[in-house]
């Protein structure tokens, strides 16, 4: 910065005087550069349309391998002006609307959750895990996420009692796993597959399985249909035979 | 030429001085209380009126409009009379201005804790107070322009330019943002909805920072800093360039508060581009301040007044570099909704506004009382305590902000959110909240020391209400000196033309942004499944507004994978078309609520409002037991429906006649669903309406999506 001249102007405001020094060179350059940046920025995103705006960027995040994301790009000013000669690299979609985003959100293809799908999607081969360490891990997850609705001992609260043989959405182990995975949105049960891995879900379900028949003192009244698991039936039969 | 004798009105300056100090302590005290509530929610003592959501707007309003506002008027009334060599235009207007402004502050202090709020940030006051603000602001402007017209100094000094820009721009901002349709004496809805409301609000909110916290204070800096330093201003031409550049560019930058939102991309980009261009004009003010101190740096080491001013101007420079940085989309993606924003605004509020006010007070009070400052040592102690307070405040908040931003976005290797439970990210920053409260305590302590020092100074001196002065009158036709007659110099002698140009400069940016939003229909795509709120949901929404839920909860899911995984499908402009006002929020102390609807059962919400820790152990949200015992006041329901219809909400003609019935039916349904879960509560309680609203949140577009992705 050149040394300021410090020449006083013929200004006097209540004793305040003024120099008329040159502006610092770096300040002037800073101003020019920011103005250029601003113009290039607007050109890039909105006139030429080379910039990736938020909808397209999001789609890219969700679908890293997708190639046909140009439809999520609103037409740039240049494309609008040239619209009779629409550029060939633009998508076939005539108009951009946010509507078409709704159909293209998830990375995986899930079907509507209906009763038939429910039974069709069940992995009936699933068995409760007996490994102590994994059940303990299941309890940790339960104590963190599940207890607010189902109670610390599975006695129920906002959610149903998990210790009795009555189940709203099926009491077989595969059904419990499925309920945890997909949730029951209409009743407020969260689809935990978005927060817990398949392994965690199996752990939690196995822990829940161990709560069966523990009969906590403050258990919630039964809800849903009775489901007596095979092994309990066996026990009952054995008991019945014994008596 | 004959010299005229006249008197400066110091009485009005003293009045504003006292108000500045008193409201400064009050505003900071309320700030400290809510800072403590951030980790000790029980400090609300279980009373609605002292709960965070209601006190937070009281804090911001008290600091901005009571502390800084009175500070502006104090400095303007002192400096303007002397710069123009005349008494204020009218003593009566001065008094109306003073008492009217205090009345506004007191009404804010009463209504905000009562939950009477529009919920629009820094514009929370309801419509009768808005009208009062408009009238008093006009009184101020009238008094100011009258003073300028009867001046004895031909050319207006740069400080006056900033005062003029402040007056006109704040008037426009306040009026445009406060256009609302009343439903009762203390309740109104803005005429704007959703995205438009958001854009208007942040055009206002951003420029409240620009034209209430910045331009008037730059004006004050241009008077009090050269005075205190006894040095000439560094560069007149820098003043000219940065003044015009600043007021022209500032007004465009509002949308940078809405990056990665449902606001159209072009508006967001304008906000970013103009924010970047704002760096140099802002720094022009800082440079002219700091370079004016050349040759006075030895005194800066001794003189607490100059110390305060140097830190103030430096804080201004830091905040105005950080602001544009936060306007870059990539930075904003991390910073928005976190405590980073809180840190940023407090660099400005504590550093720039606070410290400059303190410097001015220490300079002004001894002069008005014709004495010396009671204790320079105490002022130095204040300086160090205050500086330490700022550091203890902002560093933990930056830390907290970055922590929150990173934790919200962190995925595990398996593609799950690392911290799916939002609460984990809150618990993590509690130590920062504690440190911030310590910083706030230090800053408040310093302010109290200053108050003591100023009172003692006043006691030791003698105050003169009317200070004698002399100046030659302004010749009727002053010949324009050719030598110094640049076009700008000529303009400085013509206040009317100057004012018109200023208004044109600030209006352009506003018109370019807001007008297209109205004209271009495609900016907000309608979504056919989005319907107006039911009467019960509407009442519930008004409770959400009353309790200030928006202080801690956003309703805007941003288009990031980390957000849609956590909260569901990202926000679409068309979803908000019936939201008068919009409730996007600006800070997430709790999770986003845009799609809370249907996520939990009604009973969950009931228990959670009664005791948040029962559903969410460790939660820092205060309980809201009064919602369960208070009966919902539905006396304005019909008016609400008809008034909302007038501003464009799609209620059928005559719907207001059956609204009450529909409301009771819905309420009974919710009461029954609670009863099924063993919770007995009458259907006419406030909690029922709030649950209805929360359960509606974000559910309208569920029909539009396949169940894949997005909504959990």
């Amino acid at each position: 910065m050149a040394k300021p001249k410090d020449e006083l102007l013929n200004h006097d405001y209540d004793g305040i005087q003024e120099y008329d020094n040159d502006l610092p060179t770096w300040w002037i350059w800073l101003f020019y550069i920011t103005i250029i940046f601003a113009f290039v920025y607007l050109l890039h995103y909105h006139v030429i349309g080379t910039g990736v705006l938020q909808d397209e960027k999001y789609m890219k995040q969700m679908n890293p391998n997708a190639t046909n994301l140009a439809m999520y790009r609103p037409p740039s000013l240049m494309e609008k002006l040239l619209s009779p000669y629409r550029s060939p690299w633009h998508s076939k979609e005539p108009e951009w609307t946010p509507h078409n985003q709704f159909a293209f959100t998830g990375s995986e293809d899930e079907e509507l959750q209906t009763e038939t799908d429910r039974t069709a999607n069940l992995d009936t081969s699933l068995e409760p895990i007996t490994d102590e360490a994994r059940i303990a891990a299941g309890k940790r997850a339960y104590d963190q996420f599940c207890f607010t609705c189902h109670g610390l001992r599975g006695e129920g609260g906002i959610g149903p009692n998990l210790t009795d043989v009555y189940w709203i959405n099926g009491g077989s182990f595969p059904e419990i796993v499925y309920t945890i995975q997909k949730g029951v949105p209409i009743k407020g049960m969260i689809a935990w597959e978005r927060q817990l891995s398949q392994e965690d879900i199996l752990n939690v379900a196995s822990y829940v399985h161990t709560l069966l028949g523990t009969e906590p003192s403050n258990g919630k009244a039964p809800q849903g249909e009775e489901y007596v698991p095979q092994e309990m039936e066996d026990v009952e039969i054995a008991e019945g035979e014994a008596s | 030429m004959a010299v005229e004798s006249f008197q400066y009105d110091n009485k009005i300056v003293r009045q504003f001085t006292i108000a500045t100090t008193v409201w400064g302590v009050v505003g900071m005290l309320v700030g400290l209380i809510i800072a403590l509530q951030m980790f000790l929610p029980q400090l609300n003592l279980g009373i609605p009126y002292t709960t965070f959501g209601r006190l937070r707007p009281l804090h911001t309003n008290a600091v901005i409009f009571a502390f800084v506002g009175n500070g502006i008027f104090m400095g303007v009334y002192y400096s303007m009379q002397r710069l123009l060599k005349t008494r204020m235009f009218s003593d009566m207007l001065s008094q109306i201005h003073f008492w009217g402004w205090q009345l506004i502050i007191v009404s804010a202090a009463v209504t905000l804790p009562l939950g009477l709020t529009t919920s629009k940030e820094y514009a929370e006051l309801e419509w009768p107070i808005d009208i009062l603000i408009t009238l008093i602001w006009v009184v101020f402007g009238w008094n100011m322009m009258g003073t300028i017209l009867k001046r004895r100094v031909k050319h207006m000094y740069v400080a006056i330019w900033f005062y003029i820009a402040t007056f006109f721009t704040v008037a426009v901002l306040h009026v445009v943002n406060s256009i609302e349709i009343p439903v009762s004496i203390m309740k109104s809805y803005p005429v704007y909805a959703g995205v438009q409301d958001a854009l208007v609000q942040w055009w206002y909110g951003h420029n409240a920072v620009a034209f209430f916290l910045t331009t008037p204070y730059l004006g004050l800096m241009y008077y009090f800093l050269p005075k205190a330093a006894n040095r000439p201003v560094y560069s007149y031409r820098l003043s000219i360039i940065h003044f015009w550049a600043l007021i022209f560019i500032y007004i465009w930058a509002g949308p940078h508060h809405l990056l990665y939102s449902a606001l159209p991309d072009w508006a967001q980009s304008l906000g970013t581009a103009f924010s970047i261009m704002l760096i140099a004009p802002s720094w022009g003010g800082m440079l002219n301040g700091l370079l004016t101190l050349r040759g006075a740096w030895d005194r800066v080491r001794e003189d607490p007044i100059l110390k305060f001013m140097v830190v103030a101007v430096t804080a201004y420079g830091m905040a105005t570099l950080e602001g544009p940085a936060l306007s870059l989309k990539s930075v904003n993606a991390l910073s928005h909704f976190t405590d980073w924003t809180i840190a940023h605004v407090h660099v400005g509020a504590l550093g720039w506004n606070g410290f400059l006010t303190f410097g001015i007070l220490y300079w002004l009070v001894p002069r008005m009382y014709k004495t010396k400052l009671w204790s320079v040592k105490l002022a130095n102690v204040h300086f160090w305590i205050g500086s330490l307070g700022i550091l203890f405040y902002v560093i933990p908040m930056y830390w907290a902000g970055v922590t929150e931003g990173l934790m919200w976005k962190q995925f595990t290797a398996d593609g799950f959110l690392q911290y799916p439970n939002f609460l984990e990210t809150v618990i993590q920053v509690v130590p920062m909240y504690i440190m911030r409260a310590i910083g706030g305590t230090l800053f408040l302590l310093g302010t109290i020391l200053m108050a003591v020092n100023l009172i003692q100074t006043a006691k030791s001196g003698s105050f003169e209400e009317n200070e004698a002065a002399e100046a030659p009158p302004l010749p009727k036709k002053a010949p324009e000196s050719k030598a110094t007659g640049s076009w700008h110099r000529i303009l400085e002698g013509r206040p009317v033309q100057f004012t018109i140009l200023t208004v044109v400069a600030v209006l352009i940016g506003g018109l370019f942004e807001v007008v297209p939003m109205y004209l271009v229909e495609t900016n907000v795509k309608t979504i056919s499944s989005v319907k107006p709120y039911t009467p019960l949901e509407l009442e519930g929404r008004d409770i959400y507004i009353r309790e200030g839920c928006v202080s801690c909860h956003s309703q805007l899911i941003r288009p990031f994978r980390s957000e849609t995984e956590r909260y569901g499908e990202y926000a679409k402009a068309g979803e908000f078309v019936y939201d008068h006002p919009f409730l996007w929020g600006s800070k997430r102390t709790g999770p986003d609520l845009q799609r809370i609807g249907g996520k939990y059962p009604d009973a969950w919400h009931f228990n959670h409002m009664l005791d948040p820790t029962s559903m969410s152990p460790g939660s820092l949200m205060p309980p809201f037991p009064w919602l369960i015992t208070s009966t919902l006041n539905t006396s304005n329901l019909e008016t609400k429906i008809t008034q909302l219809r007038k501003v464009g909400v799609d209620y059928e003609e005559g719907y207001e006649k059956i609204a009450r019935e529909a409301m009771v039916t819905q309420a009974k349904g919710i009461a029954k669903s609670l009863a099924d879960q063993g919770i007995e509560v009458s259907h006419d309680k406030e909690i029922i309406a709030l649950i209805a609203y929360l359960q509606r949140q974000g559910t309208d577009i569920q029909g539009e999506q396949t169940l894949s992705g997005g909504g959990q």
Side-chain angles (χ1 to χ4, degrees):
Chain A
M1 182 159 94
K3 197 170 161 51
K5 289 197 228 54
D6 281 358
E7 285 169 12
L8 278 176
L9 288 172
N10 184 24
H11 296 179
D12 182 342
Y13 300 101
D14 193 33
I16 298 173
Q17 294 181 295
E18 291 187 292
Y19 293 131
D20 196 20
N21 286 315
D22 284 336
L23 310 178
T25 321
W26 64 265
W27 183 89
I28 296 171
W29 278 106
L30 177 69
F31 200 13
Y32 287 154
I33 289 168
T34 57
I35 291 171
I36 293 166
F37 174 92
F39 275 93
V40 171
Y41 189 92
L42 293 175
L43 282 175
H44 176 56
Y45 281 108
H46 299 284
V47 180
I48 309 172
T50 39
V52 177
L53 289 166
Q54 64 181 30
D55 292 315
E56 188 182 352
K57 202 167 176 176
Y58 174 73
M59 291 305 153
K60 229 173 202 140
Q61 258 180 28
M62 298 303 286
N63 310 280
N65 301 322
T67 48
N68 59 338
L69 296 177
M71 63 188 276
Y72 299 103
R73 179 179 299 188
S76 68
L77 190 62
M78 205 167 76
E79 282 164 336
K80 274 183 186 162
L81 293 175
L82 301 175
S83 60
Y85 319 100
R86 187 171 279 283
S87 52
W89 62 81
H90 195 272
S91 83
K92 292 180 288 295
E93 286 288 322
E95 270 301 322
W96 176 85
T97 74
H99 280 285
N100 46 30
Q101 291 164 26
F102 292 124
F104 202 81
T105 35
S107 45
E108 58 223 278
D109 226 336
E110 286 169 41
E111 281 112 62
L112 284 173
Q113 192 177 340
T114 63
E115 255 330 290
T116 38
D117 290 331
R118 201 180 154 79
T119 41
N121 286 340
L122 276 186
D123 181 355
T124 46
S125 67
L126 288 172
E127 293 279 343
I129 295 159
T130 48
D131 177 14
E132 291 288 330
R134 289 193 58 181
I135 289 179
K139 178 172 165 41
R140 276 199 301 279
Y142 180 93
D143 290 351
Q144 190 181 356
F145 300 115
C146 315
F147 85 95
T148 53
C149 290
H150 295 286
L152 265 176
R153 286 168 300 164
E155 69 269 25
I158 288 171
N161 188 332
L162 301 179
T163 61
D164 60 17
V165 290
Y166 292 89
W167 295 89
I168 300 170
N169 296 294
S172 73
F173 187 74
E175 282 174 314
I176 294 173
V177 171
Y178 187 88
T179 304
I180 298 174
Q181 281 173 332
K182 305 291 176 190
V184 189
I186 197 149
K187 298 237 173 166
M189 171 76 181
I190 291 171
W192 289 98
E193 64 181 353
R194 298 200 156 267
Q195 300 189 25
L196 298 174
S197 66
Q198 178 66 10
E199 187 182 321
D200 283 334
I201 288 176
L202 283 179
N203 294 349
V204 173
S206 304
Y207 170 68
V208 168
H209 188 76
T210 66
L211 298 175
L212 197 64
T214 50
E215 295 182 12
S217 53
N218 53 348
K220 196 179 177 186
Q223 290 166 287
E225 288 168 24
E226 187 171 10
Y227 173 87
V228 181
Q230 197 58 48
E231 67 259 32
M232 268 176 93
E233 265 177 23
D234 295 344
V235 173
E236 272 167 23
I237 292 163
E239 277 171 356
E241 279 174 355
S243 60
Chain B
M1 204 184 296
V3 170
E4 290 179 343
S5 293
F6 57 97
Q7 291 173 319
Y8 295 132
D9 183 0
N10 278 357
K11 183 184 163 199
I12 186 70
V13 181
R14 177 174 65 169
Q15 287 171 308
F16 278 119
T17 306
I18 294 168
T20 306
T21 314
V22 170
W23 292 123
V25 171
V26 172
M28 291 171 207
L29 182 66
V30 178
L32 178 60
I33 291 170
I34 58 173
L36 292 168
Q37 286 188 9
M38 296 282 283
F39 56 92
L40 294 171
Q42 61 272 31
L43 279 184
N44 71 353
L45 309 174
I47 316 171
Y49 315 111
T50 48
T51 301
F52 186 92
R54 300 194 188 190
L55 285 190
R56 195 248 179 196
L58 182 63
H59 164 62
T60 53
N61 277 277
V63 168
I64 297 172
F65 299 110
F67 171 58
V68 175
N70 279 305
I72 293 168
F73 304 137
M74 161 184 83
V76 167
Y77 276 78
Y78 185 89
S79 63
M80 184 173 266
Q81 298 185 73
R82 284 155 181 85
L83 287 168
L84 300 173
K85 293 282 171 236
T86 180
R87 193 182 176 86
M88 288 307 292
F89 173 66
S90 157
D91 284 6
M92 192 180 71
L93 289 182
S94 302
Q95 288 303 315
I96 294 174
H97 177 202
F98 176 78
W99 290 109
W101 196 256
Q102 309 317 312
L103 178 64
I104 291 164
I105 295 167
V106 172
S107 4
V110 172
T111 57
L112 291 175
L114 287 175
L116 304 169
T117 171
T118 65
S119 88
K120 292 174 72 159
E121 277 186 82
Y122 326 127
E124 285 94 347
L125 302 176
E126 266 299 351
W127 66 273
I129 310 178
D130 279 340
I131 293 175
L132 184 61
I133 294 172
T134 313
L135 294 176
I136 296 301
W137 193 255
V138 168
V139 166
F140 164 55
W142 179 7
N143 205 9
M144 179 170 85
M145 294 315 285
T147 309
I148 292 174
L149 292 177
K150 68 166 208 173
R151 69 198 186 282
R152 292 192 177 82
V153 179
K154 171 81 182 156
H155 297 106
M156 296 182 296
Y157 178 56
V158 50
I160 311 280
W161 315 345
F162 278 110
Y163 300 160
I164 292 175
T166 300
F167 168 69
F168 279 97
T169 316
V170 170
V172 172
L173 293 167
H174 172 70
V175 170
V176 172
N177 190 41
S178 301
I179 301 178
E180 47 219 357
I181 186 158
V183 288
S184 71
I185 185 69
M186 269 302 178
K187 173 75 193 168
S188 66
Y189 295 116
V191 295
Y192 318 102
V195 175
Q196 274 102 344
D197 194 37
L199 184 64
V200 172
Q201 157 60 27
W202 283 111
W203 170 76
Y204 164 88
H206 171 75
N207 288 300
V209 175
F211 288 89
F212 207 89
L213 300 177
T214 306
T215 54
Y217 264 56
L218 282 169
L220 300 188
M221 178 197 83
Y222 271 112
Y223 180 81
F224 290 97
L225 190 140
K227 275 283 186 186
N230 200 19
R231 295 278 309 159
V233 171
Y234 174 75
S235 171
Y236 164 65
R237 69 182 72 173
L238 180 56
S239 300
I240 296 174
I241 291 174
H242 102 89
F243 169 77
W244 289 105
L246 193 79
I247 65 163
F248 177 71
I249 296 175
Y250 232 128
I251 203 93
W252 296 71
H256 70 206
H257 290 256
L258 301 167
L259 298 181
Y260 286 118
S261 74
L263 190 72
D265 288 297
W266 61 265
Q268 296 186 31
S269 295
L270 274 183
T272 302
F274 277 81
S275 300
I276 296 297
M277 284 195 281
L278 203 48
I279 298 173
S282 300
W283 273 30
M286 174 186 71
L287 282 178
N288 232 357
L290 289 180
L291 292 176
T292 297
L293 291 169
R294 287 172 317 138
W297 285 103
D298 50 329
R299 290 190 25 237
V300 171
R301 277 193 289 274
E302 311 289 324
D303 184 354
I305 295 170
L306 290 181
K307 278 189 222 176
F308 274 116
M309 290 182 174
V310 167
V311 172
V313 175
T314 311
Y316 173 63
M318 280 162 42
T320 52
L321 180 64
E322 187 190 11
L326 293 175
S327 312
L328 289 171
K329 287 183 186 171
S330 46
V331 182
N332 191 277
L334 181 76
S335 76
H336 193 54
F337 287 139
T338 74
D339 279 298
W340 192 336
T341 312
I342 313 298
H344 171 65
V345 299
H346 281 86
V347 169
L350 303 176
W352 164 240
N353 295 113
F355 269 32
L356 194 63
T357 311
F358 301 152
I360 293 171
L361 283 166
Y362 282 123
W363 186 87
L364 195 58
V365 171
R367 263 165 194 76
M368 286 201 304
Y369 283 86
K370 301 189 180 311
T371 181
K372 280 195 154 46
L373 188 62
W374 180 63
S375 168
V376 175
K377 202 174 205 171
L378 197 60
N380 271 313
V381 172
H382 175 199
F383 173 77
W384 288 112
I385 292 185
S387 304
L388 212 58
I390 295 177
L391 292 180
F392 262 90
Y393 192 109
V394 300
I395 294 172
M397 284 299 94
Y398 282 121
W399 194 299
V402 175
T403 306
E404 290 158 341
L406 293 175
M407 286 178 86
W408 294 347
K409 287 179 176 297
Q410 188 63 46
F411 279 96
T412 64
D414 299 332
F416 293 100
L417 285 169
Q418 171 111 45
Y419 307 100
N421 188 354
F422 188 89
L423 190 57
E424 285 179 87
T425 70
V426 182
I427 303 292
Q428 186 72 27
V429 298
V430 165
M432 312 303 158
Y433 286 161
I434 296 172
M435 293 225 281
R436 179 261 297 272
I438 295 172
T441 309
L442 289 173
F443 197 86
L444 173 63
L445 193 68
T447 311
I448 292 169
L449 291 183
M450 177 190 75
V452 171
N453 206 348
L454 295 180
I455 291 168
Q456 294 298 338
T457 306
K459 277 187 181 165
S460 71
S462 65
F463 182 73
E464 201 178 13
E465 285 200 355
N466 296 301
E467 184 183 327
E470 309 189 308
L474 196 62
K476 283 277 171 268
K477 277 271 179 205
E480 205 57 67
S481 154
K482 289 288 173 222
T484 55
S486 72
W487 65 272
H488 199 271
R489 191 68 184 155
I490 296 168
L491 194 62
E492 289 161 30
R494 295 178 181 171
V496 178
Q497 282 101 316
F498 190 97
T499 304
I500 292 170
L501 267 185
T502 307
V503 173
V504 169
V506 295
L507 282 185
I508 292 174
L511 294 177
F512 261 85
E513 275 167 26
V514 182
V515 172
M517 286 285 284
Y518 281 89
L519 300 182
V520 185
E521 205 180 312
T522 52
N523 280 319
V524 177
K525 298 275 182 194
T526 51
I527 301 175
S528 54
S529 64
V530 172
K531 296 280 184 283
Y533 294 105
T534 68
L536 187 66
E537 289 157 6
L538 188 64
E539 293 288 0
R541 193 169 198 269
D542 284 338
I543 288 179
Y544 188 96
I545 291 170
R546 182 188 77 192
E547 298 300 334
C549 305
V550 72
S551 296
C552 294
H553 294 282
S554 58
Q555 290 188 7
L556 181 82
I557 301 167
R558 306 174 88 196
F560 303 128
R561 180 170 154 242
S562 58
E563 300 238 335
T564 53
E565 285 290 310
R566 188 185 295 279
Y567 302 120
E569 183 60 52
Y570 68 89
K572 307 291 186 294
E575 291 185 84
F576 302 100
V577 291
Y578 298 125
D579 283 10
H580 297 261
F582 83 115
L583 290 171
W584 293 0
S586 64
K587 171 78 206 300
R588 280 182 191 150
T589 305
D592 188 277
L593 300 182
Q594 195 198 338
R595 300 202 195 285
I596 191 73
K599 190 166 180 178
Y600 302 109
D602 293 347
W604 188 96
H605 285 292
F606 182 92
N607 291 343
H608 186 251
M609 297 309 290
L610 183 61
D611 177 11
T613 55
S614 68
M615 293 294 104
S616 200
S619 169
L620 294 172
M621 177 169 140
F624 289 83
W626 53 88
L627 299 179
I628 290 156
T629 50
S630 309
T631 303
L632 184 68
N633 177 359
T634 58
S635 55
N636 293 320
L637 179 65
E638 286 81 3
T639 325
K640 284 179 180 178
I641 303 272
T642 47
Q643 295 297 74
L644 281 172
R645 186 191 297 123
K646 281 183 199 159
V647 293
V649 178
D650 252 348
Y651 290 117
E652 284 168 34
E653 277 309 321
Y655 184 71
E656 65 273 14
K657 297 199 186 88
I658 53 164
R660 195 164 288 273
E661 200 186 322
M663 179 183 68
V664 173
T665 311
Q666 192 185 3
K668 283 186 172 156
I670 293 171
K672 184 175 177 304
S673 98
L674 290 173
D676 289 346
Q677 295 289 331
I679 296 166
E680 289 302 331
V681 59
S682 165
H683 70 86
D684 59 358
K685 297 299 175 196
E686 292 181 339
I687 186 79
I688 302 284
L690 185 62
I691 290 175
Y693 171 61
L694 291 174
Q695 295 291 35
R696 171 70 180 275
Q697 270 299 83
T699 54
D700 280 11
I701 67 161
Q702 274 172 7
E704 298 261 328
Q705 333 176 39
T706 62
L707 274 181
S708 68
Q712 53 77 32

